[in-house]
PDB file of all heavy atoms in Angstrom:
ATOM      1  N   GLN A  37     193.573 -25.983 177.944  1.00  0.00           N
ATOM      2  CA  GLN A  37     192.525 -26.272 176.965  1.00  0.00           C
ATOM      3  C   GLN A  37     193.030 -27.330 176.004  1.00  0.00           C
ATOM      4  O   GLN A  37     194.045 -27.137 175.326  1.00  0.00           O
ATOM      5  CB  GLN A  37     192.128 -25.004 176.190  1.00  0.00           C
ATOM      6  CG  GLN A  37     190.919 -25.198 175.298  1.00  0.00           C
ATOM      7  CD  GLN A  37     190.481 -23.884 174.652  1.00  0.00           C
ATOM      8  OE1 GLN A  37     191.305 -23.059 174.263  1.00  0.00           O
ATOM      9  NE2 GLN A  37     189.172 -23.685 174.538  1.00  0.00           N
ATOM     10  N   MET A  50     192.353 -17.053 195.401  1.00  0.00           N
ATOM     11  CA  MET A  50     191.323 -16.104 195.810  1.00  0.00           C
ATOM     12  C   MET A  50     191.925 -14.753 196.174  1.00  0.00           C
ATOM     13  O   MET A  50     191.232 -13.739 196.146  1.00  0.00           O
ATOM     14  CB  MET A  50     190.543 -16.651 197.009  1.00  0.00           C
ATOM     15  CG  MET A  50     189.767 -17.909 196.715  1.00  0.00           C
ATOM     16  SD  MET A  50     188.457 -17.628 195.512  1.00  0.00           S
ATOM     17  CE  MET A  50     187.383 -16.556 196.444  1.00  0.00           C
ATOM     18  N   ASP A  59     190.972 -28.799 189.059  1.00  0.00           N
ATOM     19  CA  ASP A  59     190.650 -30.177 188.684  1.00  0.00           C
ATOM     20  C   ASP A  59     191.849 -30.995 188.206  1.00  0.00           C
ATOM     21  O   ASP A  59     191.843 -32.212 188.311  1.00  0.00           O
ATOM     22  CB  ASP A  59     189.591 -30.166 187.574  1.00  0.00           C
ATOM     23  CG  ASP A  59     188.295 -29.533 188.046  1.00  0.00           C
ATOM     24  OD1 ASP A  59     187.859 -29.864 189.169  1.00  0.00           O
ATOM     25  OD2 ASP A  59     187.727 -28.712 187.304  1.00  0.00           O
ATOM     26  N   PRO A 100     180.134 -14.945 190.568  1.00  0.00           N
ATOM     27  CA  PRO A 100     181.485 -15.310 190.155  1.00  0.00           C
ATOM     28  C   PRO A 100     182.195 -14.219 189.373  1.00  0.00           C
ATOM     29  O   PRO A 100     183.414 -14.199 189.301  1.00  0.00           O
ATOM     30  CB  PRO A 100     181.280 -16.559 189.299  1.00  0.00           C
ATOM     31  CG  PRO A 100     179.879 -16.480 188.836  1.00  0.00           C
ATOM     32  CD  PRO A 100     179.115 -15.806 189.939  1.00  0.00           C
ATOM     33  N   GLY A 101     181.438 -13.307 188.766  1.00  0.00           N
ATOM     34  CA  GLY A 101     182.092 -12.255 188.007  1.00  0.00           C
ATOM     35  C   GLY A 101     182.559 -12.715 186.655  1.00  0.00           C
ATOM     36  O   GLY A 101     182.647 -13.908 186.363  1.00  0.00           O
TER      37      GLY A 101
ATOM     38  N   TYR B  36     180.857 -17.668 176.485  1.00  0.00           N
ATOM     39  CA  TYR B  36     182.102 -17.047 176.068  1.00  0.00           C
ATOM     40  C   TYR B  36     182.315 -17.319 174.587  1.00  0.00           C
ATOM     41  O   TYR B  36     181.975 -18.388 174.083  1.00  0.00           O
ATOM     42  CB  TYR B  36     183.295 -17.596 176.859  1.00  0.00           C
ATOM     43  CG  TYR B  36     183.405 -17.033 178.257  1.00  0.00           C
ATOM     44  CD1 TYR B  36     182.632 -17.538 179.294  1.00  0.00           C
ATOM     45  CD2 TYR B  36     184.275 -15.991 178.533  1.00  0.00           C
ATOM     46  CE1 TYR B  36     182.721 -17.015 180.576  1.00  0.00           C
ATOM     47  CE2 TYR B  36     184.390 -15.458 179.823  1.00  0.00           C
ATOM     48  CZ  TYR B  36     183.601 -15.980 180.830  1.00  0.00           C
ATOM     49  OH  TYR B  36     183.691 -15.453 182.089  1.00  0.00           O
ATOM     50  N   GLN B  38     185.280 -17.452 171.623  1.00  0.00           N
ATOM     51  CA  GLN B  38     186.725 -17.586 171.468  1.00  0.00           C
ATOM     52  C   GLN B  38     187.086 -17.600 169.994  1.00  0.00           C
ATOM     53  O   GLN B  38     186.755 -18.545 169.269  1.00  0.00           O
ATOM     54  CB  GLN B  38     187.222 -18.868 172.149  1.00  0.00           C
ATOM     55  CG  GLN B  38     188.730 -19.030 172.127  1.00  0.00           C
ATOM     56  CD  GLN B  38     189.214 -20.264 172.874  1.00  0.00           C
ATOM     57  OE1 GLN B  38     188.451 -21.183 173.153  1.00  0.00           O
ATOM     58  NE2 GLN B  38     190.500 -20.303 173.220  1.00  0.00           N
ATOM     59  N   THR B  97     183.916 -21.069 197.197  1.00  0.00           N
ATOM     60  CA  THR B  97     184.387 -20.167 196.163  1.00  0.00           C
ATOM     61  C   THR B  97     183.537 -20.414 194.935  1.00  0.00           C
ATOM     62  O   THR B  97     182.783 -21.387 194.885  1.00  0.00           O
ATOM     63  CB  THR B  97     185.877 -20.421 195.857  1.00  0.00           C
ATOM     64  OG1 THR B  97     186.320 -19.447 194.912  1.00  0.00           O
ATOM     65  CG2 THR B  97     186.077 -21.805 195.258  1.00  0.00           C
ATOM     66  N   LYS B  99     183.302 -21.672 191.340  1.00  0.00           N
ATOM     67  CA  LYS B  99     184.039 -22.486 190.385  1.00  0.00           C
ATOM     68  C   LYS B  99     183.318 -22.440 189.051  1.00  0.00           C
ATOM     69  O   LYS B  99     182.102 -22.584 188.989  1.00  0.00           O
ATOM     70  CB  LYS B  99     184.131 -23.925 190.889  1.00  0.00           C
ATOM     71  CG  LYS B  99     184.978 -24.807 190.018  1.00  0.00           C
ATOM     72  CD  LYS B  99     185.149 -26.184 190.639  1.00  0.00           C
ATOM     73  CE  LYS B  99     186.027 -27.038 189.740  1.00  0.00           C
ATOM     74  NZ  LYS B  99     186.261 -28.366 190.297  1.00  0.00           N
ATOM     75  N   TYR B 100     184.090 -22.230 188.004  1.00  0.00           N
ATOM     76  CA  TYR B 100     183.524 -22.188 186.657  1.00  0.00           C
ATOM     77  C   TYR B 100     183.707 -23.557 186.011  1.00  0.00           C
ATOM     78  O   TYR B 100     184.810 -24.089 186.002  1.00  0.00           O
ATOM     79  CB  TYR B 100     184.254 -21.155 185.801  1.00  0.00           C
ATOM     80  CG  TYR B 100     184.268 -19.744 186.343  1.00  0.00           C
ATOM     81  CD1 TYR B 100     185.144 -19.374 187.360  1.00  0.00           C
ATOM     82  CD2 TYR B 100     183.420 -18.768 185.821  1.00  0.00           C
ATOM     83  CE1 TYR B 100     185.172 -18.085 187.848  1.00  0.00           C
ATOM     84  CE2 TYR B 100     183.443 -17.468 186.300  1.00  0.00           C
ATOM     85  CZ  TYR B 100     184.322 -17.142 187.310  1.00  0.00           C
ATOM     86  OH  TYR B 100     184.351 -15.859 187.792  1.00  0.00           O
TER      87      TYR B 100
END
Side-chain angles (χ1 to χ4, degrees):
Chain A
Q37 188 175 38
M50 296 295 293
D59 298 315
Chain B
Y36 283 81
Q38 184 177 17
T97 184
K99 185 174 181 178
Y100 303 79

